[in-house]
């Protein structure tokens, strides 16, 4: 486990996951299929099976000669995620899945079904190197980066479960993706950006999701925000700020010692200017730590300093309990006062629905190994 304040910005070296179709851009898939001795058009067929029908099972590929199916599946659809356990709440409409990766690393994803949408929260790293003291993932440290296909396969697995009616409410489709699971997405920028491309590319090249429906969250890696700004991906950016002043944020979000509040907010505002996408400011409400009314005033001042309030939306998150943390969620009266002060200053603000708290699936609660019994931990 990392010591307090310690950052891990470079992921430990581990064996790379095997190549998967989702790691490859469309032109690369065609080349890979041709290298395997098949006509290039077969790549589009494979993409249709995976991204449109959510199938990596060669027995369903009736448009392929039977004699070639198994070899193609072995070459381009290795097993990346093995489900260990599903835990549900909210009458089955919230499901957290623990996955074991090919090298034994553990990650989690969360599917949340609402009346008007289905959101999947995906992990981009096994563990996290940002070491925020109120986050269970950060306290566990960073195991490794995830590959593009490992990220995408979480979404395809959720889509497959919805296709089969395995989620309460019957068959459905994934509509929103949030990169708010385990890991700091912008610390694994290349895989994250490629995964986003697979999510938003039209079918059959990708999953065909709307850019607006994909949110990439960051604790404030300014160089990563700049890359995303110029990437042309145009997804929604969420910045986990959690404090408006550097003195407190240095403790709550240790990366602030490298990229202070002013730089982070300026980078976020530049994202809005370049993309036209309103930025979400994530703010965990922690009792008597960052929830004072004067801090709401300071947050409004910091955001207004970057530009008029229309560029940003503040998303307040009641702190979710994590093992060993001495902190707890704000009192209701303090939360309401914080909201009033922001609204008075003209800052758009909402309080996030805390789905999944009962199964440790809410923001900051994903810890993976804590779900395993001793025998599973040794397997």
């Amino acid at each position: 486990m990392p010591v307090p304040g310690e950052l891990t910005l470079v992921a430990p070296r581990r064996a790379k996951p095997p190549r998967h179709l989702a790691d490859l851009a469309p032109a690369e898939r065609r080349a890979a299929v041709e290298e395997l001795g098949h006509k290039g058009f077969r790549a589009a067929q494979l993409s249709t099976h995976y991204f449109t029908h959510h199938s990596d099972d060669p027995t369903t590929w009736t448009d392929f000669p039977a004699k070639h199916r198994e070899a193609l599946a072995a070459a381009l659809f290795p097993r990346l995620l093995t489900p260990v356990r599903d835990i549900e709440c909210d009458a089955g409409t919230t499901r957290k899945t623990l996955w074991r990766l090919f090298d034994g690393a553990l990650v989690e994803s969360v599917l949340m079904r609402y009346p008007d949408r289905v959101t999947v929260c995906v992990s981009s790293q096994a563990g996290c190197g940002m070491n925020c003291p109120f986050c269970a993932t950060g306290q566990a440290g960073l195991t490794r980066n995830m590959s593009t296909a490992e990220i995408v396969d979480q979404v395809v697995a959720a889509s497959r479960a919805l296709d089969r009616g395995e989620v309460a409410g019957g068959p459905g489709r994934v509509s929103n993706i949030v990169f708010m699971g385990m890991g700091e997405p912008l610390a694994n920028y290349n895989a994250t950006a490629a995964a986003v491309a697979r999510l938003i590319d039209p079918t059959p090249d990708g999953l065909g999701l709307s850019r607006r429906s994909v949110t990439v969250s960051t604790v404030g890696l300014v160089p990563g925000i700049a890359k995303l700004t110029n990437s042309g991906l145009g997804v929604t950016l969420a910045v986990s700020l959690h404090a408006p002043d550097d003195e407190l944020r240095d403790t709550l979000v240790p990366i602030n010692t490298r990229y202070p509040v002013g730089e982070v907010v300026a980078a976020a505002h530049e994202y809005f200017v370049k993309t036209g996408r309103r930025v979400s400011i994530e703010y965990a409400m922690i009792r008597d730590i960052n929830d004072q009314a004067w801090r709401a005033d300071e947050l409004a001042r910091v955001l207004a300093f970057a530009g008029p309030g229309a560029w940003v939306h503040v998303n307040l998150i009641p702190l979710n309990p994590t093992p060993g943390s001495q902190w707890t969620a704000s009192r209701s009266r303090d939360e309401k006062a914080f909201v009033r002060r922001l609204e008075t200053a003209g800052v758009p603000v909402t309080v996030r629905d805390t789905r999944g708290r009962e199964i440790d699936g809410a923001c900051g609660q994903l810890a993976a190994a804590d779900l395993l019994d001793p025998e599973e931990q040794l397997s």
Side-chain angles (χ1 to χ4, degrees), residues 4-9 129-132 219-222 241 245-264:
E6 181 182 35
L7 295 166
T8 305
L9 297 176
M130 298 298 102
N131 202 8
C132 299
V219 292
L221 270 66
V222 170
L241 200 65
D245 54 294
D246 288 323
E247 182 178 6
L248 177 58
R249 195 168 189 264
D250 283 351
T251 298
L252 297 182
V253 188
I255 195 66
N256 196 72
T257 59
R258 298 198 178 202
Y259 307 112
V261 170
E263 290 183 25
V264 173

Side-chain angles (χ1 to χ4, degrees), residues 8-29:
T8 305
L9 297 176
V10 178
R13 289 187 175 274
R14 300 277 292 253
K16 289 186 177 181
R19 182 183 67 170
H20 187 282
L21 182 88
D23 287 313
L24 306 175
E28 296 170 326
R29 294 174 210 162

Side-chain angles (χ1 to χ4, degrees), residues 100-337:
R100 191 185 301 277
L101 307 183
F102 85 102
D103 57 355
L106 298 168
V107 300
E108 292 175 328
S109 61
V110 184
L111 183 153
M112 295 162 284
R113 186 170 205 159
Y114 300 88
D116 60 341
R117 68 191 187 279
V118 177
T119 297
V120 178
C121 178
V122 298
S123 294
S124 55
Q125 296 179 307
C128 183
M130 298 298 102
N131 202 8
C132 299
F134 55 89
C135 175
T137 312
Q139 296 313 291
L142 177 62
T143 300
R144 70 166 173 88
N145 285 333
M146 295 177 68
S147 69
T148 297
E150 287 174 326
I151 298 170
V152 173
D153 210 36
Q154 296 169 76
V155 182
V156 172
S159 298
R160 187 181 303 124
L162 287 162
D163 291 343
R164 296 173 178 173
E166 296 173 0
V167 180
R173 63 182 297 275
V174 173
S175 55
N176 296 76
I177 306 297
V178 292
F179 283 72
M180 295 181 180
M182 300 176 72
E184 162 55 51
L186 297 188
N188 186 19
Y189 181 84
N190 290 339
T192 293
V196 168
R198 306 295 179 270
L199 298 179
I200 64 176
D201 277 349
T203 57
D205 290 339
L207 284 164
L209 293 170
S210 163
R211 296 172 190 270
R212 291 181 181 274
S213 70
V214 178
T215 299
V216 175
S217 178
T218 178
V219 292
L221 270 66
V222 170
I225 295 174
K227 286 182 181 179
L228 193 64
T229 300
N230 296 309
S231 68
L233 292 171
V235 295
T236 299
L237 173 68
V239 177
S240 296
L241 200 65
H242 303 314
D245 54 294
D246 288 323
E247 182 178 6
L248 177 58
R249 195 168 189 264
D250 283 351
T251 298
L252 297 182
V253 188
I255 195 66
N256 196 72
T257 59
R258 298 198 178 202
Y259 307 112
V261 170
E263 290 183 25
V264 173
V265 172
H269 183 258
E270 182 66 12
Y271 187 85
F272 165 76
V273 171
K274 288 283 184 69
T275 67
R277 292 279 192 262
R278 189 168 68 159
V279 175
S280 177
I281 298 295
E282 310 290 296
Y283 197 102
M285 294 291 286
I286 309 173
R287 181 181 296 187
D288 298 330
I289 300 296
N290 68 348
D291 62 353
Q292 300 89 347
W294 69 264
R295 279 202 162 91
D297 296 337
E298 178 65 6
L299 177 60
R301 187 196 66 77
V302 166
L303 298 178
F305 183 76
W311 75 274
V312 72
H313 175 271
V314 173
N315 195 8
L316 301 180
I317 309 166
L319 185 72
N320 293 301
T322 56
S325 175
Q326 73 272 33
W327 295 325
T328 188
S330 299
R331 303 173 190 87
S332 177
R333 66 174 185 272
D334 294 332
E335 180 183 283
K336 291 176 180 177

Side-chain angles (χ1 to χ4, degrees), residues 25-108:
E28 296 170 326
R29 294 174 210 162
R30 186 180 182 91
V33 167
E34 290 174 345
E35 288 172 6
L36 293 168
H38 301 280
K39 297 291 186 180
F41 74 87
R42 295 292 188 190
Q45 290 178 307
L46 289 174
S47 296
T48 298
H49 285 298
Y50 183 70
F51 288 109
T52 303
H53 303 308
H54 313 130
S55 174
D56 55 8
D57 178 3
T59 64
T60 67
W61 301 349
T62 56
D63 53 352
F64 277 83
K67 63 182 180 181
H68 297 315
R69 296 176 195 171
E70 291 292 341
L72 279 167
L76 292 173
F77 293 94
R79 176 59 60 88
L80 297 178
L81 307 178
T82 300
V84 177
R85 184 174 300 167
D86 289 322
I87 302 179
E88 297 179 347
C89 64
D90 300 319
T93 59
T94 300
R95 173 197 278 193
K96 180 171 75 166
T97 301
L98 174 66
W99 303 100
R100 191 185 301 277
L101 307 183
F102 85 102
D103 57 355
L106 298 168
V107 300
E108 292 175 328

